[in-house]
Structures are given as structure tokens and as C-alpha cells.
Amino acid sequence: MTDLQAILDSIHAELLPRLGEGKVADYIPELAKVDPKQFGMAIATVDGNVRSVGDADIPFSIQSISKVFMLTLALGKVGEALWKRVGREPSGTAFNSIVQLEREEGIPRNPFVNAGAIAVSDVVLSGHAPREAIGELLRFVRYVADDESITIDDKVARSETQTGFRNIALANFMRAYNNLNHPVEHVLGVYFHQCALSMSCEQLARAGLYLAARGTNPITGHSVVSPKRARRINALMLTCGHYDGSGDFAYHVGLPGKSGVGGGILAVAPGIGSIAVWSPGLNKVGNSQLGAVALEMLAARTGWSVFGD
Ligand code: GLU
């Protein structure tokens, strides 16, 4: 039996001298205030155990990791029809790129780049007021994590609302191509609040378990999605979850994963468990620098890469 706690402890000890590497996201003023030397990691395994190290119980802004939960909700609402509005290919461009969206006539490459996630928020918004759609997401995340204490950080949402000029541009662009059905302000209200979900590594690792266990949370027994849908969401995370760093993440880590500019990464080891890591400093493409290093160490020490050990 692999001693996961010992592996987590060794990763933490080895990374301690490097804490603070990378650059915290400063285009969202609230995120610029975060102490870059924090580091946490948690593993929830399908047998129901959660092991963690460092600052794994401190809530942080999950940002784009929320796109995984919103995608799950949108697929539950409209099923495969979602793919008329969003593609399933890696973008090879920055998370907030505008150029590609124009070239491809308002259809974002995948649900994990910002434009794609904004289209997904529009789908979840259907038939709801923005407040209700946000409430639906919060209920869903609390349900999959089995934790009623999870909240949305209004300060972060407000901060991004005031400065999210690129996202405002992306949304207007899609509206011009008729790929948004609701007013831009409503869609972005949902999008900015989903990004402002505040969760610890322990909560996030538990929330990702349904993706590791064929769509059912093995701790609570809650069936969240079908095994086929869980497999497909994992496929998208592997190919598109790290923006134009997705190939590099697959090469080094070999697990489906989704990053956020808050410095978190959620990774899935199918059949084994769900892993969350948090280190606020980002690399050049906006993914957690040490988070990716920690996951590479974990994959090497456990043999969990989906491509073999
Ligand atoms: N809220 C961020 C944005 O839209 C999310 C980006 C990310 O986490 O990668 O810019």
C-alpha cells in the first residue's frame, strides 16, 4: 500500500524552500493581496479517506476550477446540445484570448477557456435570474463536496466585476455572434461569482471525487453524472484544462486537471482519487507554478498517470 501521507509530507518538505515562486494574479486586485508563500495539498481517495498537508484547510479563490462544476451543470441541463455553442478542442491560446473567438465566429474552442465558460454560464442561466443560477451552482458544489460551509467571496466577485474588461469584451463579442442568450451583465454576474467560489484543498478534493469514481461520490453515495459523462469531462480536463499549458501538464503530470488563477489545481486520478493543490504563484500561462510541480512529484511517486507508471 502506498503511504500517501508520507508522499504528501515529502512533497511539502521538498517544496518549502521554493514557496513564493511564480507571480500571483494581479489583474484581479483582490487576488493580488494573497500571500504567495502559502501551499496546501489534499488527496481524497475513492475509499473515502482524505489526506492533506500544509495550508490544505485554508479557503482560496478557486477561479477557473469552477468551470468544471458549471460544465457538469450545463451538460445536465442541455446534454450534448451544449456542443453546438462550445467546441471541444484545445485552444493553444491564452485563457482570455479574443483573436481566436473572432476567427471562429463566436464559438469558443472549449468550455475551459474564458469565452467557453462564459457561454456555459449563459446555458446555466436559462430560465433563472442571475442570483438563482449562482445559488444553483453553490448548492451543487456543496452537494458534491458534502460541505454546507462553502461560500462565494463577494469581495473577489466585486473586484473582478470592476476590472474584468477582457471578459466583458469576450461576452459582448459572443453576444454579437448570437452565442449568448442573456444580457451580458447577467451572464458575467454569474461568471464572476462562480469564479469567486472560495474552497480549501480538502473541500475541493472531496468535490472532485465524482470524476474519479465514475460519476458517483463514493463517500456520500450521491450519483452526480453517468460514468460516460464523468469520463468525457475528464477527457476535456486532460486536453483543455490548462489553457495553452495543457500539453505540458499532460506531459509532466499525466492526469486530467483544471487550473485557476487563484493558484489552485484540481486533478483527477480515475478510479483512485481526486487531488487539489494550491500555491498562488502562477507560471507564464496562468497556471500554478508549484502546484504543477507538486502534482508531477505525486504522479511520479504514485504511478497514477493515466498513461501508465
Ligand atoms: N476569473 C478569471 C478570469 O476570468 C478566471 C481565469 C482563471 O482562473 O484561469 O479572468
Side-chain angles (χ1 to χ4, degrees):
M1 234 335 241
T2 319
D3 185 347
L4 290 181
Q5 189 61 52
I7 293 179
L8 282 178
D9 292 340
S10 68
I11 293 171
H12 186 221
E14 279 168 55
L15 289 181
L16 269 178
R18 296 178 60 181
L19 297 191
E21 267 185 29
K23 192 171 170 297
V24 297
D26 53 9
Y27 73 100
I28 301 173
E30 259 324 282
L31 296 186
K33 297 181 189 162
V34 174
D35 171 6
K37 296 216 158 163
Q38 298 174 96
F39 177 90
M41 195 167 186
I43 304 174
T45 39
V46 293
D47 59 8
N49 283 309
V50 179
R51 290 141 179 118
S52 60
V53 75
D55 302 315
D57 57 348
I58 298 185
F60 63 91
S61 191
I62 73 163
Q63 291 296 318
S64 284
I65 301 171
S66 65
K67 294 172 181 171
V68 175
F69 304 121
M70 277 302 252
L71 173 65
T72 305
L73 277 181
L75 286 170
K77 275 182 194 290
V78 300
E80 297 290 300
L82 180 72
W83 306 120
K84 291 194 192 110
R85 297 182 51 188
V86 186
R88 294 191 298 264
E89 293 296 339
S91 67
T93 55
F95 67 99
N96 54 8
S97 168
I98 292 180
V99 177
Q100 193 167 55
L101 196 57
E102 164 140 55
R103 224 184 288 120
E104 300 183 0
E105 303 190 346
I107 305 291
R109 268 294 170 98
N110 66 63
F112 295 147
V113 288
N114 284 9
I118 291 168
V120 168
S121 302
D122 186 64
V123 169
V124 174
L125 185 54
S126 299
H128 285 312
R131 187 182 292 275
E132 291 163 352
I134 296 161
E136 186 181 354
L137 173 68
L138 188 56
R139 272 195 305 282
F140 177 72
V141 172
R142 287 175 172 173
Y143 170 74
V144 288
D146 195 27
D147 190 331
E148 288 297 311
S149 70
I150 296 167
T151 55
I152 288 173
D153 186 334
D154 284 321
K155 264 204 201 151
V156 173
R158 219 172 306 125
S159 182
E160 198 172 0
T161 307
Q162 284 159 2
T163 55
F165 305 114
R166 285 190 80 95
N167 289 321
I168 296 167
L170 288 169
N172 276 297
F173 223 76
M174 283 191 287
R175 180 97 170 148
Y177 279 106
N178 290 322
N179 198 12
L180 286 191
N181 296 329
H182 300 88
V184 162
E185 305 71 47
H186 291 191
V187 183
L188 288 176
V190 174
Y191 175 75
F192 291 145
H193 280 84
Q194 74 180 61
C195 289
L197 264 168
S198 187
M199 292 170 78
S200 68
C201 288
E202 285 166 359
Q203 291 169 327
L204 202 50
R206 276 200 197 90
L209 261 183
Y210 70 98
L211 294 170
R214 308 181 78 244
T216 296
N217 182 319
I219 301 181
T220 60
H222 293 156
S223 166
V224 183
V225 291
S226 67
K228 180 173 165 187
R229 186 155 289 165
R231 195 168 66 235
R232 289 179 157 178
I233 294 172
N234 285 335
L236 288 164
M237 289 170 74
L238 183 83
T239 51
C240 310
H242 281 74
Y243 308 119
D244 43 345
S246 298
D248 204 52
F249 186 81
Y251 181 84
H252 285 285
V253 179
L255 294 172
K258 181 72 206 87
S259 65
V261 291
I265 301 176
L266 173 64
V268 178
I272 301 169
S274 159
I275 308 121
V277 61
W278 173 50
S279 170
L282 307 179
N283 62 18
K284 279 201 205 83
V285 289
N287 301 316
S288 174
Q289 179 149 323
L290 292 185
V293 174
L295 286 168
E296 182 175 3
M297 290 171 159
L298 180 75
R301 287 166 205 194
T302 54
W304 285 355
S305 163
V306 296
F307 301 108
D309 53 10

